[in-house]
Amino acid sequence: MSDKIILGIESSCDETGVGIVRLSDTGEITLLADQVASSVDQHARFGGVVPEVASRAHLEAMVPTMERALDESGLSLSNVDAIAVTCGPGLAGALLVGVSAAKAYAAALDVPLYGVNHLAGHVAADTLQHGALPSECLALLVSGGHTQLLKVEDLAGKITEIGSTIDDAAGEAYDKVARIIGLPYPGGPPIDKAAKQGNPNAIKFPRGLTGPRDPKFDFSFSGLKTAVARWVEGQESDGKPISVDDVCASFQESVADVLTAKAVRAATELGIGTLVISGGVAANSRLSGLARERCAQAGIELRVPRPRLCTDNGAMIAALGAHLVAAGVRPSSLELPTDPGMPVDTVYV
Ligand code: KG4
Ligand code: ZN
């Protein structure tokens, strides 16, 4: 087999991503281009992603983003050997734009098409920075839409859910808490920044689902968000001052504590030696710091890709596509449907 060029398209939420990788005949995957156009500014005043606005933005950004990715790689479309695209889970209209574009490029270029799972893509992102995954690893996926613990035995097919959030995703909790305390959307970066000046022990916020009878590996963040809202209301009605820095630090401590405690416990109980943390919230400084401390104590190898690879992008989809090509799986049909609720154990369609 000679080197293959795989192009990945991502459009499941508010980022239009096009990534390009090279799959060498030894199975090595090299990142050649990673271009992202975000519509996040258009959603900011609504405090969350507006699906119709996101779909329209994908439509406008798709071709320019493709052109920028090709420019960055120094390649042309005729060099592309396969196309991978996120077909779920995600926003229905947003997914349709990426999948339609991918089908059009695959048909025009007469190359195979791979419809892939966005969540498996987040795990594959790490291989672009840290190389191939060990034969078994645990992935903690934390983004605006998902919070899941996954056992990954094979990126090209065997991914099992160990636990997930029963209500809000971790990133969603950041976004909602930011709104409560008057910080901009998306809430993760400003809360992360403010928390650095605050005291994480100033306010004792609850740790969701950590009681002795609670499910061990599931998460809940909606009670935490409500606790922050109640605390702020209480201070206001008592005429007491609110330290935004302390609220941010105390809220963030609860999120990082629960996520890392459950992930390390799952890895230890399942006898898995490597933890990968990915998704937008993996960019959080306290989450990665605490994970580093706790993994070191438990003798677990920790892998966290750089922030640019943690948030939604096309490179992670290209990387997953390359794993599928290397594994020799059958390509998708040009009738490939989108699946907004695609289960995480379906890696490709
Ligand atoms: O993976 P992602 O880019 O998109 C989704 O698939 O949702 O994640 C976006 C989420 C948002 O909720 C944002 O607030 C959060 O990731 N986020 C962060 C940080 N940077 C982004 N959360 C905590 N700390 C950060 N530094
Ligand atoms: Zn994502």
Side-chain angles (χ1 to χ4, degrees):
M1 186 177 93
S2 59
D3 286 5
K4 288 208 151 63
I5 300 297
I6 323 290
L7 186 140
I9 297 178
E10 157 63 32
S11 72
S12 65
C13 191
D14 57 346
E15 257 89 38
T16 314
V18 178
I20 303 175
V21 302
R22 171 180 286 115
L23 170 67
S24 77
D25 50 9
T26 56
E28 206 179 314
I29 298 170
T30 314
L31 180 60
L32 303 179
D34 173 18
Q35 291 294 322
V36 173
S38 178
S39 60
V40 69
D41 293 345
Q42 297 179 49
H43 308 290
R45 72 190 170 98
F46 302 103
V49 176
V50 182
E52 291 80 358
V53 172
S55 306
R56 167 70 56 176
H58 285 305
L59 208 52
E60 287 166 0
M62 187 56 69
V63 171
T65 310
M66 175 67 70
E67 284 168 355
R68 288 208 314 275
L70 290 167
D71 267 3
E72 185 188 354
S73 68
L75 299 170
S76 66
L77 278 173
S78 61
N79 298 116
V80 172
D81 295 300
I83 293 183
V85 62
T86 300
C87 60
L91 302 171
L95 288 168
L96 270 176
V97 178
V99 168
S100 305
K103 286 179 182 176
Y105 283 113
L109 301 172
D110 194 22
V111 297
L113 172 71
Y114 295 84
V116 305
N117 189 308
H118 177 81
L119 304 174
H122 271 302
V123 184
D126 184 67
T127 66
L128 290 171
Q129 187 172 342
H130 298 120
L133 291 171
S135 58
E136 192 174 69
C137 70
L138 188 73
L140 172 63
L141 236 168
V142 273
S143 71
H146 298 275
T147 301
Q148 276 155 323
L149 270 175
L150 308 173
K151 181 175 171 186
V152 182
E153 288 165 273
D154 177 6
L155 256 184
K158 191 133 193 259
I159 299 187
T160 324
E161 187 177 285
I162 306 295
S164 76
T165 179
I166 60 163
D167 41 55
D168 292 350
E172 195 178 351
Y174 269 92
D175 299 338
K176 288 178 174 171
V177 165
R179 199 171 182 160
I180 293 167
I181 54 179
L183 291 176
Y185 172 85
I191 290 181
D192 197 355
K193 192 164 168 228
K196 293 201 169 92
Q197 274 95 54
N199 173 4
N201 303 312
I203 311 154
K204 189 73 191 144
F205 286 131
R207 269 54 173 166
L209 291 190
T210 50
R213 304 248 277 285
D214 288 331
K216 278 190 292 189
F217 304 138
D218 287 335
F219 304 94
S220 166
F221 294 107
S222 101
L224 171 61
K225 165 205 68 193
T226 308
V228 174
R230 290 280 133 74
W231 186 87
V232 169
E233 277 163 29
Q235 293 292 106
E236 278 170 349
S237 65
D238 294 348
K240 290 188 189 152
I242 294 165
S243 159
V244 167
D245 293 348
D246 284 351
V247 174
C248 289
S250 302
F251 158 76
Q252 177 157 288
E253 197 59 20
S254 171
V255 176
D257 181 21
V258 174
L259 288 173
T260 54
K262 292 204 177 212
V264 168
R265 182 173 180 186
T268 307
E269 288 193 12
L270 298 170
I272 299 175
T274 303
L275 173 66
V276 178
I277 309 185
S278 191
V281 184
N284 185 260
S285 58
R286 181 60 183 150
L287 176 61
S288 51
L290 193 55
R292 199 149 286 125
E293 269 172 43
R294 290 181 169 173
C295 283
Q297 273 162 14
I300 295 165
E301 181 206 8
L302 176 67
R303 298 170 50 140
V304 186
R306 56 184 176 267
R308 166 90 195 189
L309 289 173
C310 282
T311 48
D312 289 351
N313 63 81
M316 69 189 202
I317 301 306
L320 180 54
H323 281 92
L324 298 181
V325 170
V329 312
R330 124 202 95 65
S332 309
S333 113
L334 276 182
E335 313 286 306
L336 170 72
T338 55
D339 183 357
M342 191 171 182
V344 68
D345 55 3
T346 306
V347 175
Y348 58 93
V349 182

